[in-house]
Amino acid sequence: MKKKTIIMGIESSCDETAVAIIEENKDSKVKILSNVVSSQIDVHKEFGGVVPELAARAHVEKIDFITKKAIEESNVKIEDIDAVAATAGPGLIVCLSVGLSFAKTISLSLKKPFIAVNHLEGHALSPKLNSKINYPYLLLLISGGHSQFLCVQNLGKYKRLGTTIDDAVGEAYDKTAKLLGIEFPGGPQIEKYAKLGNKNSYKLPKPIINKGGCNLSFAGLKTAVLKISKNIKYKQEKYDLAASFQKTIEDILCTKTKVAFFEFKKKYTNKNNTFVIAGGVASNKSLRKKLINLSKENNFDAIFPPIHLCSDNAAMIAMVGLEKYKIGLYDSFNFSPKPRWPLDEKAPFLKGAGVKL
Ligand code: KG4
Ligand code: ZN
């Protein structure tokens, strides 16, 4: 019997070209053998956001080199790979197509299964790369494109408890950064600015804080930052605004997390209360501290992926690939990229004007 399972993961949904190889040994321990990420920040910087056509071109230029590097660093022979998993959505269709076609080609040439992966499920399962987590668990997914509370019932089985009705948290960070003259992507830089500022300097709105269950809204906050930023002259004022903005985000997320805790406990009595926080914004150290404390107070065990696995990477895609591989969930080469692919397909679409909460 083969002792190890080796999975290749490929990620190209947005502006990171990434390839990883992970291994699970006979004791079900997962190890990342290689995790290569090539970011396109320099390509998009001057435009203040991701330009799909440029992103796709950069993926095409880099993907074979990144794959070669990932194989070399892993020290595995390509023929020992058991399956090839690739992000198939949600994301930019021109970008997804690159990684998906590449993965299908490798899988075909190796005669090994191809597995299509939901990028959001990659974030959801990312802490499994280094922690043992049992289903069900509560998930807060906070990235550049998504902000949701979900019950993760099992692999592929999600129940959404709440979502943003406008901007994602990462998007709010990036827009605030832009208003303060910080280059894209501004999230990590806002965190640095916030450390130097007074968080009580500006009182910012907390939209739908006392209604809409654990649904979220950040658009009003961005508008308030826009107004204030027009009158800012000094660097210290920028630090103060960044600190006030970050505090407001933390207050909103903590208040809504309490609602999500309540809803999760209502659904799953007598279970372990595990709270996973994943996605790019989960790398924010100040927010991590706040959510760890809140979890302790509410009898939840807070679990974060290590910081380098919060942002987009292919190890998390390989992780989903591994779980699917173990139960024989393979996909056909007809699988097309999906620009929209919610984890909970039954949850209503809640974005845009006129949304009733
Ligand atoms: O998960 P991710 O890498 O990509 C998406 O799937 O969207 O998340 C990227 C987002 C960006 O909006 C970025 O500004 C934000 O995560 N981000 C942060 C931090 N690091 C990344 N936001 C706040 N604080 C950070 N330290
Ligand atoms: Zn992501």
Side-chain angles (χ1 to χ4, degrees):
M1 206 182 93
K2 197 167 180 289
K3 290 196 201 80
K4 292 174 180 171
T5 306
I6 299 173
I7 307 288
M8 174 185 273
I10 299 181
E11 157 64 34
S12 71
S13 63
C14 190
D15 58 343
E16 255 97 29
T17 318
V19 180
I21 296 179
I22 66 166
E23 165 195 287
E24 188 187 61
N25 68 17
K26 61 178 179 359
D27 302 321
S28 303
K29 278 235 160 62
V30 178
K31 195 169 158 195
I32 300 175
L33 301 180
S34 63
N35 186 25
V36 184
V37 183
S38 167
S39 174
Q40 305 174 358
I41 287 175
D42 288 342
V43 177
H44 305 289
K45 211 157 57 181
E46 64 178 291
F47 305 99
V50 177
V51 184
E53 296 307 324
L54 295 182
R57 197 188 301 171
H59 287 308
V60 172
E61 283 166 4
K62 292 258 177 70
I63 198 152
D64 50 354
F65 168 73
I66 300 294
T67 306
K68 194 162 169 267
K69 197 159 179 251
I71 295 168
E72 277 167 11
E73 285 183 11
S74 72
N75 276 327
V76 301
K77 291 197 220 93
I78 190 165
E79 57 273 21
D80 289 339
I81 289 168
D82 293 294
V84 185
T87 304
L92 301 165
I93 198 149
V94 283
C95 296
L96 291 164
S97 305
V98 178
L100 209 53
S101 308
F102 200 76
K104 287 174 186 171
T105 310
I106 298 179
S107 137
L108 185 67
S109 69
L110 294 176
K111 299 193 176 57
K112 297 288 170 66
F114 158 73
I115 299 168
V117 173
N118 182 319
H119 177 88
L120 304 176
E121 186 152 46
H123 282 299
L125 268 54
S126 58
K128 285 187 166 233
L129 287 160
N130 69 333
S131 310
K132 189 162 167 29
I133 305 172
N134 294 321
Y135 301 110
Y137 57 86
L138 175 66
L139 168 70
L140 171 60
L141 173 58
I142 34 179
S143 68
H146 299 267
S147 299
Q148 304 178 4
F149 287 100
L150 295 136
C151 292
V152 185
Q153 295 162 328
N154 214 324
L155 179 68
K157 250 190 120 200
Y158 295 82
K159 171 92 185 88
R160 197 186 73 197
L161 299 178
T163 186
T164 178
I165 58 165
D166 40 57
D167 293 347
V169 191
E171 199 177 348
Y173 263 92
D174 294 338
K175 285 179 177 168
T176 295
K178 202 169 175 182
L179 292 169
L180 296 183
I182 298 170
E183 276 181 349
F184 173 84
Q189 203 60 21
I190 288 281
E191 183 176 7
K192 287 187 189 145
Y193 272 39
K195 275 196 197 134
L196 305 169
N198 174 358
K199 61 181 189 231
N200 299 315
S201 302
Y202 299 97
K203 193 163 165 36
L204 299 169
K206 297 172 191 166
I208 66 165
I209 194 76
N210 292 318
K211 62 172 187 172
C214 55
N215 287 303
L216 300 154
S217 168
F218 300 102
L221 177 56
K222 177 192 63 196
T223 310
V225 170
L226 169 70
K227 280 190 192 144
I228 296 167
S229 66
K230 283 187 177 152
N231 297 314
I232 273 183
K233 287 195 201 81
Y234 305 106
K235 195 93 188 192
Q236 187 57 46
E237 290 174 306
K238 289 189 179 184
Y239 297 150
D240 290 344
L241 185 52
S244 304
F245 165 80
Q246 183 158 288
K247 181 192 178 288
T248 309
I249 292 278
E250 287 169 357
D251 287 352
I252 295 171
L253 289 179
C254 284
T255 303
K256 294 293 185 172
T257 297
K258 278 195 242 169
V259 180
F261 282 163
F262 180 76
E263 294 195 10
F264 184 84
K265 279 184 184 165
K266 236 177 20 188
K267 269 186 207 307
Y268 306 102
T269 44
N270 304 323
K271 296 268 181 198
N272 287 336
N273 290 328
T274 303
F275 179 37
V276 166
I277 305 97
V281 185
S283 54
N284 186 295
K285 293 204 184 87
S286 170
L287 181 62
R288 281 168 99 100
K289 230 184 262 167
K290 286 267 155 49
L291 291 175
I292 287 170
N293 289 339
L294 185 78
S295 301
K296 274 190 200 140
E297 287 160 21
N298 288 274
N299 213 12
F300 269 79
D301 203 6
I303 298 182
F304 292 84
I307 290 193
H308 71 284
L309 294 176
C310 286
S311 298
D312 290 349
N313 64 84
M316 67 184 196
I317 304 304
M319 185 66 229
V320 179
L322 173 66
E323 297 240 324
K324 287 187 156 187
Y325 176 80
K326 289 197 287 185
I327 53 171
L329 273 184
Y330 311 150
D331 292 289
S332 91
F333 290 139
N334 290 333
F335 201 105
S336 302
K338 298 182 183 195
R340 189 175 174 274
W341 188 1
L343 285 174
D344 178 358
E345 305 260 9
K346 290 197 191 122
F349 189 68
L350 273 193
K351 271 197 175 180
V355 163
K356 292 216 170 37
L357 293 171

